[in-house]
Amino acid sequence: MKALTILGAMIGLLTGVGLALAAQSPWPEAFWRGIAAAVVGGWLLRWWGRLWVESWQQTLRARQQAGAKPASETKTV
């Protein structure tokens, strides 16, 4: 989860600073917009990652309860 949060923050920072500089904002304003975007990006990617992991675990539990073998154990001929 930490890796996703850091990745989201990095993407948010680069996006925020990049868009602010494209709009010809001064450096201090671009930096603050980047920081705000980093916070939001980190939070959103953390939320999405948690949702993805929970969905994945739910799918694995459903397969296990149905008695199906995981995809890695099935053999294709």
Side-chain angles (χ1 to χ4, degrees):
M1 233 18 96
K2 285 182 185 180
L4 287 176
T5 304
I6 292 170
L7 178 64
M10 288 172 37
I11 291 170
L13 180 68
L14 293 175
T15 302
V17 170
L19 290 175
L21 290 176
Q24 298 178 349
S25 298
W27 270 104
E29 184 178 339
F31 183 71
W32 282 111
R33 287 184 182 190
I35 295 295
V39 169
V40 171
W43 182 77
L44 283 175
L45 204 56
R46 180 180 177 191
W47 168 78
W48 179 81
R50 184 175 292 150
L51 185 67
W52 180 72
V53 167
E54 288 174 5
S55 297
W56 186 47
Q57 289 173 345
Q58 184 180 12
T59 301
L60 290 176
R61 274 188 249 120
R63 282 186 182 177
Q64 192 176 34
Q65 289 175 352
K69 292 183 179 180
S72 62
E73 293 182 11
T74 58
K75 295 181 181 179
T76 56
V77 179

